[in-house]
């Protein structure tokens, strides 16, 4: 049991760092070559799994080629913070407009960094506990 206690910090830290990498990979890719347009939260869709009830925003925007895109957005960090009818900034891939992100603003801008910092703290603590006699 004491070994598990030491490793819990390492496990939590690793999960948080991996979460950071997953959250930022798509964003970096789209932000580097994407096109920014205005979008709207068209709807808030609800669903459920065996474990939880889920909500995700449905985003609608017009591409520069005048094509309407209306798609659910599953990558949202705080989907509940978005309200139906709210205007947002969307960055989409010119090759595949259905591959888009909501441009983070306010506190959402710093959330990935906070996840990385917290994960790093857990990892450092885990390594310290592992090496401590």
């Amino acid at each position: 049991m004491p070994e598990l206690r030491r490793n819990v910090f390492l496990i939590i830290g690793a999960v948080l760092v991996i979460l950071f990498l997953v959250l930022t990979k798509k964003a970096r890719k789209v932000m580097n070559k994407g096109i920014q347009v205005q979008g709207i939260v068209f709807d808030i869709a609800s669903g459920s799994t065996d474990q939880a009830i889920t909500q995700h925003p449905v985003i609608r925007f017009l591409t520069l080629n005048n094509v309407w895109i209306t798609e659910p957005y599953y990558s949202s960090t705080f989907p509940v913070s978005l309200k139906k009818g709210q205007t947002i900034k969307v960055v989409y891939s010119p090759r595949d407009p259905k591959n888009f992100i909501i441009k983070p603003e306010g506190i959402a801008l710093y959330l990935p960094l906070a996840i990385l910092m917290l994960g790093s703290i857990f990892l450092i603590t885990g390594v310290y506990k592992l090496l401590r006699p």
Side-chain angles (χ1 to χ4, degrees):
M1 187 66 135
E3 287 299 316
L4 180 61
R5 281 172 121 191
R6 281 189 203 170
N7 293 335
V8 159
F9 285 96
L10 287 173
I11 293 168
I12 292 173
V15 167
L16 289 173
V17 169
I18 290 169
L19 178 64
F20 165 80
L21 294 172
V22 168
L23 286 175
T24 58
K25 181 181 180 184
K26 178 182 177 182
R28 279 192 312 264
K29 217 175 190 181
V30 174
M31 290 294 283
N32 286 339
K33 297 182 182 181
I35 299 170
Q36 181 175 311
V37 294
Q38 283 289 104
I40 188 167
V41 179
F42 188 69
D43 198 6
I44 303 293
S46 297
S48 64
T49 64
D50 292 340
Q51 293 85 17
I53 295 174
T54 61
Q55 287 189 322
H56 52 270
V58 176
I59 307 300
R60 174 177 265 187
F61 61 93
L62 186 63
T63 68
L64 294 181
N65 297 331
N66 291 322
V67 175
W68 282 105
I69 303 294
T70 306
E71 288 290 321
Y73 186 67
Y74 297 106
S75 300
S76 183
T77 311
F78 290 114
V80 199
S81 67
L82 298 172
K83 305 291 180 217
K84 187 174 177 177
Q86 178 181 349
T87 57
I88 51 171
K89 293 177 184 173
V90 174
V91 180
Y92 70 89
S93 168
R95 288 187 178 161
D96 179 14
K98 290 183 179 186
N99 181 17
F100 67 91
I101 63 165
I102 296 173
K103 189 170 182 182
E105 294 179 341
I107 196 163
L109 203 56
Y110 302 104
L111 187 64
L113 184 59
I115 291 171
L116 177 63
M117 289 173 57
L118 191 59
S120 298
I121 290 169
F122 271 89
L123 278 174
I124 291 167
T125 304
V127 169
Y128 172 76
K129 287 184 170 278
L130 195 63
L131 297 177
R132 195 177 90 200

